[in-house]
Every structure is written in C-alpha cells, then in structure tokens.
C-alpha cells in the first residue's frame, strides 16, 4: 500500500503547503493530470463544493485533476477508476457514517489495498485506522459502528498535543489516550502533532515532518519517536 496520513491540512504557510513535498513523493508514479477523487464527507459546516474547490486549488501545483466524490454520477465507479483517493478532515463521525450509508467504505479499502495511493489528513488519517475511536471529534451523528478502513494495524490521534491551559480542569490528550489504552491494551496509538504525518509503504513506516510523535501502548509510559523510519508494535 501507498499512504500519506497527515495530522493537519492548514498551517501558517497555507492550505496543504507544508505537505506538498510529501504529497509529490506519494504521487510520483502517477501520470500528469491523474484523476484524484476527493471525499469531502467530513465537512459539516463547510459545504462539500467549497471544500472540494479548496483542496483542488491547494493541489493545483501537483497537476492532479481533483473531483469531488459527491458530484460523481456513480460514486463507486469514480473510486474504482481513481488514480488517487483523498480524504479530508472535519468530523470523523460524519465522514465514516456517510461512507457507510453509501456503501463505499469497503470500496475505498479495496482500492487502497490494491495499490491506489491514499492521502488523508485529520479525520482522513483516522479513517485509515482499524477504528475511529481515537478521533478528537464530537459524535454529532451515529456512524453505524466505529470500524473504519483498517489499512494500518494501529490507531492514530491527529493534532496531538498534551497542552493543558491554565485553569482548565478537563483531561489532557494524553489522559484521554490512556483511557483508550486501558480499554484496548493491545492496540498502539500514534499521536501525530501538527506539521507531521505518517508515510506508509506496505509495512514500512516513516514519520515525516520536523517533530517527534508519541507512541502509546497499554499501561506503558508513552514513547517519543523521532522523524524518519519508525516501528509501531503489531
């Protein structure tokens, strides 16, 4: 498989600008003007046409021809013929629920497992995991189950930070992930901070970006992983 799973899309540099070098590496084998299908279903307060235009404009320097899946006459056929599948961020529950309602979740999984490159950020990165249970999003809709694409055998927590604002009495992100690990002690979780991503080439994993990621597993103390080749326990 050939995946790029990003923590975030926006930065001070602009939309997806920080990730363009890694996106170009992801699509290096595709022909000029290759068809990319964008899944905008995580958008809730951002309408899907506006979202698709934002992504298309951001990826214009790559030469990709971006089509919104919601505008395809036959969504299944659009995915089956796509040279690249792109899944944007927003609300993970809405994303998963819409794909499941349209019967497209297994289609995406099959295409990516067959070698179609996959680019996802935030909710789109969560979707690549076994479940969406390590999302940061509110369950604003019932997705019909938490099971996701299962393209990687561990969980991702995008936008990871352990910041604790003064006066805030709620749990930190690390405490919330510790709760997940207590209930799922055999399932690793990779916390990806802003500006980082995970490059997946079959079984090879590379942490891209300038910052360390945090690996959580069961009751063990969190481990910091430096950029470059990384290993996540199976």
């Amino acid at each position: 498989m050939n995946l790029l799973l990003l923590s975030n899309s926006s930065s001070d540099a602009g939309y997806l600008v920080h990730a363009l070098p890694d996106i170009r590496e992801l699509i290096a084998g595709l022909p000029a003007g290759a068809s990319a299908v964008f899944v905008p279903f995580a958008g809730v307060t951002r309408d899907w046409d506006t979202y698709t235009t934002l992504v298309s404009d951001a990826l214009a320097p790559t030469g990709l021809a971006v089509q919104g899946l919601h505008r395809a006459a036959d969504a299944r056929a659009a995915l089956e013929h796509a040279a690249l599948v792109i899944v944007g961020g927003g609300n993970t529950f809405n994303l998963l629920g819409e794909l499941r309602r349209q019967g497209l979740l297994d289609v995406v999984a099959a295409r990516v497992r067959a070698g179609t490159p996959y680019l996802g950020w935030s909710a789109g990165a969560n979707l690549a995991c076994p479940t969406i249970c390590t999302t940061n999003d509110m369950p604003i809709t019932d997705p019909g189950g938490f099971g996701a694409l299962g393209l990687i055998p561990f969980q991702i927590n995008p936008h990871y930070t352990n910041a604790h604002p003064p006066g805030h009495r709620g749990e930190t992100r690390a405490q919330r992930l510790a709760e997940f690990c207590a209930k799922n002690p055999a399932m690793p979780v990779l916390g990806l901070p802003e500006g980082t991503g995970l490059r997946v080439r079959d079984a090879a994993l590379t942490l891209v970006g300038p910052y360390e990621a945090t690996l959580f597993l069961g009751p063990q103390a969190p481990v910091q992983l430096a950029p470059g080749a990384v290993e996540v326990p199976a």
Side-chain angles (χ1 to χ4, degrees):
M1 291 187 295
N2 187 19
L3 294 79
L4 177 59
L5 308 174
L6 302 171
S7 176
N8 58 297
S9 55
S10 60
S11 70
D12 292 342
Y15 201 80
L16 290 175
V17 172
H18 71 287
L20 279 177
D22 295 306
I23 293 172
R24 286 192 174 98
E25 192 274 332
L26 173 75
I27 65 172
L30 301 183
S35 171
V37 170
F38 173 59
V39 181
F41 300 155
V44 178
T45 55
R46 174 185 283 159
D47 76 80
W48 294 345
D49 284 334
T50 300
Y51 200 177
T52 301
T53 298
L54 176 66
V55 172
S56 180
D57 289 348
L59 295 180
T62 68
L64 291 168
V66 178
Q67 173 193 17
L69 183 60
H70 66 296
R71 288 295 183 184
D74 185 332
R76 179 178 292 266
L79 287 168
E80 289 176 344
H81 292 93
L84 170 70
V85 175
I86 307 172
V87 184
N91 187 276
T92 315
F93 294 90
N94 202 66
L95 168 64
L96 178 59
E98 193 65 35
L99 283 169
R100 184 168 280 130
R101 281 188 288 273
Q102 295 192 32
L104 299 175
L105 192 65
D106 291 343
V107 180
V108 174
R111 293 299 300 146
V112 179
R113 290 187 182 281
T116 301
Y118 179 99
L119 169 63
W121 55 85
S122 191
N126 262 134
L127 191 72
C129 301
T131 74
I132 64 165
C133 290
T134 52
T135 179
N136 305 306
D137 303 330
M138 294 183 72
I140 62 171
T141 185
D142 182 357
F146 297 142
L149 294 175
L151 301 174
I152 56 176
F154 54 88
Q155 293 293 128
I156 285 175
N157 177 244
H159 309 290
Y160 177 75
T161 175
N162 203 35
H164 198 183
H168 179 66
R169 303 305 176 191
E171 289 81 358
T172 64
R173 188 75 58 79
Q175 288 171 319
R176 287 300 191 198
L177 293 178
E179 292 175 342
F180 173 88
C181 290
K183 288 293 186 179
N184 305 271
M187 178 60 71
V189 182
L190 188 64
L192 291 178
E194 305 292 60
T196 67
L198 188 68
R199 187 74 173 86
V200 181
R201 301 175 187 84
D202 294 324
L205 306 175
T206 304
L207 179 64
V208 298
Y211 307 114
E212 293 183 333
T214 305
L215 179 65
F216 298 83
L217 180 59
Q220 302 174 23
V223 175
Q224 299 302 117
L225 301 181
V230 294
E231 292 186 6
V232 176

